[in-house]
Amino acid sequence: MTARRPAPAAPSSITAPPPPLMVRAMPAVFVLLWSTGFIGAKFGLPYAEPFTFLFIRFALVLLLLAPLAVMARAAWRGGWRAAGHQLVTGALVHGLYLGGVFWAIGAGLSAGVAALVVGMQPLLTAVAVGPLLGERVSGRQWLGLVLGLTGVGMVVGEKLAGSGVGTVAPVALVGAVVGLFGITAGTLYQKRFGGGADLRIATFIQYVAAAAVTGLAALAVETRDVQWTGEFLFALGWLVIVLSIGAISLLMLLIRRGEAARTASLFYLVPPVTAVTAWALFGETLGLIALAGMALAVAGVALVVGRR
């Protein structure tokens, strides 16, 4: 009687093959794409009011996503309840967040200040994930969150040193804060209730909610006049294709694949990347304090996203 061979050992995490290059590159690609949203707003808002601009953007996105949603209809098994969760996510992530940020920039708040306010999202998320989602935030992650927030403050603070921020209307700051709470609540809500849904249909439903929120706001407080200039059409096309479809799809995938606090920490890199983009496009200079702040923000994200 021959001896039984022992069962092969399960591969350890050390010998397991690394994730595909595309998956590993997703966070970096997301940061690069997301940071261009502030630049797109700067290009387009002189020619259209914020909610009108966003409603046109969302309507075009719905037209582009409609065929994909129809093709994926057979894969939707969530029912009306799951659709309702996606409506809430869309109202928060797209309606409140983008509506607040665009309103703030349209009311005179610089893109740098708006980025700084929204850059506090990871700290709010880290505070909330414990009681709401049961995720544990380690001491190293808390250190990373603090370093990231400090770095964002250094980058944007230097930019604001001579910009006359004190003249900004309070309503503009309120808009940025509304955007901050919108993206924070939307990230947590999607992580808690939106997992497992078909991404094509879920994204379509989210933009239905976003179009409804911004459309009603445009009807209530705006004239809805649009100047169809080349700059506006370029900004609109970029925000529709690159941001509303590309970056948002990446965000939903990142939320689904990782913990909410780790995904939110990526937003710390957006203001520094936005500052670099503004330097390349508009000639805005970066001093030593800003460069040091960028390094701090990168280090903070590395601590939060890295292995525990």
Side-chain angles (χ1 to χ4, degrees):
M1 185 174 178
T2 59
R4 182 184 298 176
R5 289 183 178 181
S12 67
S13 60
I14 298 177
T15 59
L21 178 62
M22 184 177 296
V23 174
R24 288 184 292 175
M26 280 170 55
V29 173
F30 168 75
V31 170
L32 289 173
L33 296 183
W34 196 266
S35 65
T36 63
F38 296 98
I39 305 299
K42 184 173 181 178
F43 269 115
L45 280 173
Y47 309 104
E49 294 164 295
F51 298 129
T52 300
F53 189 178
L54 286 172
F55 175 77
I56 296 171
R57 170 181 171 180
F58 296 147
L60 291 175
V61 172
L62 287 172
L63 287 176
L64 292 175
L65 290 179
L68 294 176
V70 170
M71 287 188 294
R73 196 168 154 190
W76 183 259
R77 300 183 179 88
W80 288 106
R81 182 168 184 170
H85 289 317
Q86 298 303 325
L87 287 172
V88 174
T89 297
L92 292 171
V93 171
H94 310 300
L96 282 187
Y97 166 65
L98 289 176
V101 169
F102 272 56
W103 172 270
I105 295 175
L109 193 66
S110 73
V113 179
L116 174 61
V117 174
V118 179
M120 291 190 289
Q121 185 224 356
L123 196 57
L124 288 183
T125 301
V127 170
V129 291
L132 294 180
L133 300 182
E135 293 182 8
R136 177 180 171 271
V137 181
S138 67
R140 192 179 78 172
Q141 287 179 309
W142 278 113
L143 175 61
L145 290 164
V146 173
L147 287 178
L149 184 59
T150 303
V152 168
M154 291 170 64
V155 172
V156 182
E158 182 182 86
K159 184 179 178 182
L160 297 177
S163 63
V165 177
T167 63
V168 173
V171 67
L173 292 172
V174 171
V177 173
V178 168
L180 166 64
F181 281 96
I183 189 65
T184 302
T187 300
L188 294 170
Y189 192 93
Q190 177 67 9
K191 181 66 178 177
R192 177 66 178 84
F193 297 108
D198 185 278
L199 191 60
R200 294 162 295 181
I201 298 183
T203 304
F204 183 85
I205 294 172
Q206 289 175 17
Y207 280 117
V208 169
V213 170
T214 54
L216 289 173
L219 287 172
V221 301
E222 294 181 346
T223 65
R224 300 172 298 284
D225 291 331
V226 178
Q227 301 176 42
W228 298 93
T229 65
E231 290 85 355
F232 176 75
L233 290 174
F234 172 78
L236 181 63
W238 182 271
L239 293 175
V240 167
I241 302 297
V242 178
L243 268 295
S244 292
I245 294 179
I248 290 296
S249 297
L250 275 176
L251 176 61
M252 296 299 114
L253 285 172
L254 287 167
I255 292 173
R256 185 176 297 183
R257 291 179 61 89
E259 297 174 355
R262 295 189 179 196
T263 300
S265 69
L266 296 173
F267 285 87
Y268 271 140
L269 294 178
V270 171
V273 173
T274 301
V276 172
T277 307
W279 167 78
L281 292 178
F282 308 115
E284 298 181 5
T285 58
L286 296 172
L288 292 177
I289 295 178
L291 293 174
M294 286 185 190
L296 258 183
V298 171
V301 172
L303 285 173
V304 174
V305 179
R307 295 181 181 274
R308 294 178 187 177

